[in-house]
Amino acid sequence: MTVRPPAEIGMPLEEVETPALLVDLDVFEANLKRMANDAAAKGIKLRPHSKTHKSPVIALRQMALGAVGVCCQKVGEAEAMVLGGVPDVFISNEVVGRNKVARLAALARQARVAVCADDPAHVAALSEAAQSFSVELAVFVEVDVGAGRCGVAPGQPALDLARQVAAAPSLRFAGLQAYHGSAQHKRTIAERREMIQSAAAKVRECTDLLAAAGIACELVSGAGTGTYPLEIASGAWQELQAGSYIFMDADYARNLDEAGQPISDFEQSLFVYATVMSRPRPEMAIVDAGLKCFSVDSGLPVVADLPGVEYVGAADEHGKLAIADTAGGPRIGDKVRLIPGHCDPTVNLYDWFTGVRNGRVETLWPIAARGAVY
Amino acid sequence: MTVRPPAEIGMPLEEVETPALLVDLDVFEANLKRMANDAAAKGIKLRPHSKTHKSPVIALRQMALGAVGVCCQKVGEAEAMVLGGVPDVFISNEVVGRNKVARLAALARQARVAVCADDPAHVAALSEAAQSFSVELAVFVEVDVGAGRCGVAPGQPALDLARQVAAAPSLRFAGLQAYHGSAQHKRTIAERREMIQSAAAKVRECTDLLAAAGIACELVSGAGTGTYPLEIASGAWQELQAGSYIFMDADYARNLDEAGQPISDFEQSLFVYATVMSRPRPEMAIVDAGLKCFSVDSGLPVVADLPGVEYVGAADEHGKLAIADTAGGPRIGDKVRLIPGHCDPTVNLYDWFTGVRNGRVETLWPIAARGAVY
C-alpha cells in the first residue's frame, strides 16, 4: 500500500495535509544550479548522490544541468533510478549476496552500471555474475582515505585489489572510490581542510602506485556537500558525489566557513510541514511530527518560521515546541515548517515530495526508492 | 512504488535479502498470548496500540485473542486498520485539520471510531464533522497525568471539557485518555511505580469530579508495555493500550524488575537482519543496515547472536560492528540479527514483516500503515 499524496497540485500551501515533506522549488533549483555551475567552472564531473532524494525525477533534473549520472548506495536504489530513466548509475558501495549481485549484473543490461569492491570476495562474486549475464561491470576499488568504514588501506592493498579487478573476467577497473564521510560535518574549515588534505595524499599514494604498475586509473570519485571545494582544490579527484546540497539540513547549517560563519553556499529547501495539534500550556505547543517524520540522529529539527519557538522533544508521533513568548505563540491548527536535522534518512520516511513555489503546490514527486534498502 | 518483499515463503532464513525486518513467530505468538492472558485474568480490556505494528494482520491476531480493537495515532493508520478488517479503532490522540477530521468522521460510517480531545477547538471541529457525516463519534478527554505532552490538566479542566463533549451534537463523552508516556522507560520499578501511582491519583481526581457532576465516565484508557501491571494494580484504568509487548526492543530490555534484573515478561521477537558487507580490519565488520534501517533515538541496535560483537556506529547505509575476537568474527556475506533500539519508529521504515519459524520463512505481512503519518 502506497501512501496517497498529502496535497493536490494547485492547492495553497496552508491546505497541505501534515506531516508533509515540502521542497521550496526556487531554493532547490538555485541549489542545483549552484553546484552544477561550480563543477562545470572547475572542470570536474558531478555525479550527485541519489541516496539523498531517492527520486529519478530529481536525478534527471540534475543530469539536465550536466551531471554525468548518479551515485546510489543500494541495488534497489539503482533499480529505481534506471526504471525512472537514469541511464548511468554508480553504486558507491559494496554489494554482497548472490541475489543482489545478480540483480546488479542484470541491471547492467539496461544501463551503465558501476560498483565498488574492497575485498577479493567482492571481485569474485561480481565477475561470476557479470559473466553469467554477459555484461561488463565497471568496478571501483574503494580506499579508506580516513573515514574508517569500508575500503582497503591506501597503497599496496589498493594496487593489489585493482590488479585483481583488472584481471577478472567481465570486470573493468574503473578507478578509485575515495569518500571521506566523517569529514563532511566537521565544524571548522580548518578541520575539514586537514582531513581532505590527508585524504588527497592517500589518493595520490594509490594513483602513483597504479601509474607505476601501468594500470590506468580513469577516475577518482568522492567528496560530499561539506567538503567538495576542498576535493576540487586538491586536484586529486575527478568526480564529485555530493548529495545533500540540493536540500541541506540543520546539521550542515552548523558547518562554518573561513570567517567562522555558517556556510551559505546552499540554502535550506527541504522542510517538514507540521500542524499544531495541542496547546496544553502557554509555554508549550505540540505538533503532529515526531520520530516517524524525522531522523534525529543529528539532532532535533529546527523551527523555520517562528522566532522564539524551539523544537525541544520528539516522541513517536509528537513534537514539543517550547514557546518563549507565552502571551503569543501558534494556535491549534497553525502550520509550521521544520528543518530536519539530517536530510537523507528523513527523506526516506516519506513517499512524496510536495514541491511548493509562491505559496502554492506546484508538483508532487514520488520518492520511488523510499525504503529500497536492499 | 511499494518495495517488493525481501523473501519468499518457504525460503530458509539465510536466503532472506537484507536488510529485512524479521519476526520470530514463536516468540511473537507467546508475547501476544501472555498479554491477552494477563488482561483476561485481571478483567481489564486490552486495546493494543497499532502504532507499533501498523499491520491489520497483527491487529486481527490480537483481536482473535480477545483484544476489543486497536488504538491508532493517526487517521491514516486508522483507515489502514479499518480497510484491513479491524472493526473498532480508537485514535488515542488529537486530530486537527478540516480534511483530517472529515476523514475521521467518514471512517465512522465503516467502523466504530473514537478519538481524543484536549481543547474546545477539537470538540467543535469533531462535532461539526460528525454532524456532516451523520455519525456519532466517541470522544475521550485526554488528561495530562504526568507526561507533560497533550492533555488538559486533571480536575476542573477535565470536567469542563467533558461537559462540552457531552453537550456537543453528534459526540458522545466516552471517558478519559490517561497515558503516562514518559513513565514507560524509567529503569527502576520504584520510579515507574511512583509515576503511575501519581497518575492514578490524577485519574481519580477526574473520575470523582465527573461522578459528582453526574457525568458517566465509561472508561479510562491508557498504560503501556513498561508500566501496565501498575495501571492494572491501581484499579484506576479499565483498558490497556500497550503496543511494544508484541516485539520488544533494546530500550525496553533495559527496564528492571523488583529484583533489579531486566524484565522478562516478554521476549524479543523483532530483528533487523543484516549482512556483513566489508571486513576492512580484523577488529571491525561493516553491515548493510544503518540509519535508514533503525531509529536510533533510543540508542544503537544490539547484536543478537554474536557474543563479543557490538554495533558501535550507524551511518545512512552502514553499521560498524566492533569485534572483540580479532582472530574470528563474521565473514563477508555472513548474516546477523540486530535488535532495534526502539521498535515503533523502526517498523515504520519497512514495508514487510518477514515471519520466521524454525529457520524458515513462514509468512510475509504487509506493513499497511507504514508512512501513514497523516
Side-chain angles (χ1 to χ4, degrees):
Chain A
M1 188 166 134
T2 297
V3 172
R4 66 187 173 72
E8 287 179 28
I9 292 166
M11 190 181 256
L13 171 60
E14 295 70 29
E15 290 183 16
V16 172
E17 284 220 58
T18 65
L21 194 63
L22 304 181
V23 176
D24 180 318
L25 293 170
D26 283 338
V27 175
F28 166 81
E29 290 169 0
N31 288 345
L32 252 62
K33 281 179 197 152
R34 169 71 188 258
M35 182 63 88
N37 293 345
D38 264 18
K42 301 289 169 34
I44 193 163
K45 290 181 185 177
L46 175 61
R47 180 182 287 277
H49 219 306
S50 67
K51 79 186 177 80
T52 301
H53 54 67
K54 291 180 164 278
S55 162
V57 178
I58 295 179
L60 293 173
R61 293 281 293 261
Q62 293 171 314
M63 291 189 74
L65 293 175
V68 298
V70 292
C71 297
C72 305
Q73 288 296 73
K74 300 283 182 155
V75 176
E77 225 167 65
E79 289 169 334
M81 292 298 137
V82 170
L83 297 186
V86 177
D88 190 327
V89 294
F90 169 24
I91 300 182
S92 53
N93 204 3
E94 286 69 30
V95 171
V96 172
R98 180 177 295 270
N99 192 39
K100 273 207 197 81
V101 174
R103 286 163 52 205
L104 181 78
L107 196 65
R109 299 209 62 104
Q110 298 186 57
R112 286 187 57 161
V113 173
V115 65
C116 290
D118 75 357
D119 192 281
H122 301 134
V123 177
L126 291 168
S127 177
E128 184 186 330
Q131 291 175 76
S132 163
F133 281 91
S134 305
V135 295
E136 185 187 71
L137 285 172
V139 178
F140 286 77
V141 168
E142 180 161 11
V143 180
D144 180 1
V145 292
R149 199 166 66 190
C150 300
V152 293
Q156 193 64 39
L159 175 62
D160 290 346
L161 195 61
R163 277 193 212 275
Q164 291 178 46
V165 171
S170 299
L171 302 188
R172 179 170 65 82
F173 172 64
L176 300 179
Q177 164 72 6
Y179 175 62
H180 199 324
S182 51
Q184 303 306 314
H185 298 272
K186 293 293 171 192
R187 295 302 174 222
T188 70
I189 185 80
E191 291 170 288
R192 298 197 298 278
R193 182 176 290 123
E194 187 184 326
M195 293 172 92
I196 299 306
Q197 283 176 346
S198 162
K202 289 171 180 157
V203 168
R204 287 210 187 81
E205 183 187 350
C206 297
T207 50
D208 288 352
L209 267 182
L210 287 163
I215 299 177
C217 180
E218 296 168 36
L219 195 74
V220 179
S221 191
T225 296
T227 63
Y228 81 95
L230 302 167
E231 274 95 343
I232 293 178
S234 77
W237 282 262
Q238 293 85 47
E239 185 175 89
L240 304 178
Q241 301 182 346
S244 303
Y245 72 95
I246 64 173
F247 295 142
M248 300 303 283
D249 56 35
D251 196 51
Y252 266 122
R254 289 187 274 265
N255 273 9
L256 305 175
D257 64 13
E258 295 280 2
Q261 296 299 310
I263 53 164
S264 56
D265 295 356
F266 302 98
E267 292 186 14
Q268 189 65 36
S269 72
L270 187 81
F271 301 90
V272 171
Y273 203 38
T275 298
V276 174
M277 51 184 285
S278 177
R279 279 304 310 275
R281 294 185 293 286
E283 71 278 15
M284 181 167 289
I286 308 294
V287 292
D288 58 356
L291 296 173
K292 293 179 187 170
C293 295
F294 302 101
S295 184
V296 298
D297 61 274
S298 302
L300 292 173
V302 170
V303 179
D305 307 313
L306 300 173
V309 178
E310 195 182 352
Y311 192 110
V312 294
D316 284 1
E317 322 278 358
H318 299 90
K320 285 188 189 179
L321 304 186
I323 297 167
D325 172 15
T326 56
R331 292 167 304 176
I332 288 176
D334 283 358
K335 292 180 177 177
V336 295
R337 295 190 310 164
L338 305 167
I339 300 171
H342 187 178
C343 57
D344 297 20
T346 296
V347 167
N348 188 51
L349 294 164
Y350 293 85
D351 291 75
W352 299 93
F353 292 114
T354 298
V356 176
R357 197 185 322 258
N358 298 329
R360 195 172 58 175
V361 176
E362 186 175 297
T363 190
L364 293 162
W365 292 333
I367 305 177
R370 194 273 322 143
V373 290
Y374 39 84
Chain B
M1 189 166 134
T2 298
V3 173
R4 70 188 171 70
E8 286 178 31
I9 292 167
M11 191 181 255
L13 171 61
E14 294 70 28
E15 290 183 14
V16 172
E17 283 222 57
T18 65
L21 194 62
L22 305 181
V23 176
D24 180 318
L25 293 170
D26 283 337
V27 175
F28 166 81
E29 290 169 0
N31 288 345
L32 252 62
K33 280 180 199 153
R34 169 70 189 259
M35 181 64 86
N37 292 345
D38 265 17
K42 301 289 170 30
I44 193 162
K45 291 180 183 177
L46 175 62
R47 180 182 286 278
H49 219 306
S50 67
K51 78 185 177 85
T52 301
H53 54 67
K54 289 180 163 279
S55 163
V57 177
I58 293 178
L60 293 173
R61 293 279 295 259
Q62 292 171 315
M63 292 189 73
L65 292 176
V68 298
V70 293
C71 297
C72 306
Q73 289 296 73
K74 300 283 183 155
V75 176
E77 225 167 64
E79 289 170 334
M81 291 299 136
V82 171
L83 297 186
V86 177
D88 190 327
V89 294
F90 169 24
I91 300 183
S92 53
N93 203 3
E94 286 69 28
V95 172
V96 172
R98 180 177 296 270
N99 192 40
K100 272 206 198 81
V101 174
R103 285 163 52 205
L104 181 77
L107 196 64
R109 299 209 62 105
Q110 298 185 58
R112 286 187 57 161
V113 173
V115 65
C116 289
D118 75 357
D119 192 281
H122 301 133
V123 177
L126 291 169
S127 177
E128 185 186 326
Q131 291 175 77
S132 162
F133 281 91
S134 305
V135 295
E136 185 187 71
L137 285 172
V139 177
F140 286 77
V141 168
E142 180 162 10
V143 181
D144 180 1
V145 292
R149 201 166 65 189
C150 299
V152 294
Q156 193 63 38
L159 175 62
D160 291 346
L161 195 62
R163 278 195 212 275
Q164 292 179 46
V165 171
S170 300
L171 301 188
R172 180 170 64 82
F173 172 63
L176 301 178
Q177 164 72 5
Y179 174 62
H180 200 323
S182 50
Q184 302 306 315
H185 298 273
K186 294 293 172 193
R187 294 303 172 223
T188 69
I189 185 80
E191 292 170 287
R192 298 197 298 277
R193 182 176 291 124
E194 186 183 327
M195 293 172 93
I196 298 306
Q197 284 176 346
S198 163
K202 290 170 179 157
V203 168
R204 286 211 187 80
E205 182 187 350
C206 297
T207 50
D208 288 351
L209 267 180
L210 286 163
I215 298 177
C217 180
E218 297 167 34
L219 194 75
V220 179
S221 190
T225 297
T227 62
Y228 81 94
L230 301 166
E231 275 94 344
I232 293 177
S234 78
W237 282 262
Q238 293 84 48
E239 186 175 89
L240 304 178
Q241 301 181 348
S244 303
Y245 72 93
I246 63 173
F247 295 143
M248 300 303 283
D249 56 35
D251 197 49
Y252 266 122
R254 289 187 273 264
N255 274 9
L256 304 176
D257 64 14
E258 294 280 2
Q261 295 300 308
I263 52 164
S264 56
D265 295 355
F266 302 98
E267 291 187 14
Q268 189 65 36
S269 73
L270 186 81
F271 301 89
V272 171
Y273 202 40
T275 297
V276 174
M277 52 184 285
S278 177
R279 279 304 310 274
R281 293 185 293 287
E283 70 278 15
M284 179 166 291
I286 308 295
V287 292
D288 58 357
L291 295 172
K292 294 179 186 170
C293 295
F294 302 100
S295 185
V296 297
D297 62 274
S298 302
L300 292 174
V302 170
V303 179
D305 307 312
L306 300 172
V309 178
E310 194 182 353
Y311 191 110
V312 294
D316 285 0
E317 323 278 359
H318 299 90
K320 284 187 188 178
L321 304 187
I323 298 166
D325 172 16
T326 55
R331 291 167 305 175
I332 288 176
D334 283 358
K335 293 180 177 176
V336 294
R337 295 191 310 165
L338 304 167
I339 299 171
H342 187 178
C343 56
D344 296 21
T346 295
V347 167
N348 187 50
L349 294 164
Y350 293 85
D351 291 74
W352 299 93
F353 291 114
T354 299
V356 176
R357 198 184 322 259
N358 297 330
R360 194 171 59 175
V361 176
E362 186 174 297
T363 190
L364 293 162
W365 292 333
I367 304 176
R370 195 272 324 144
V373 290
Y374 39 86

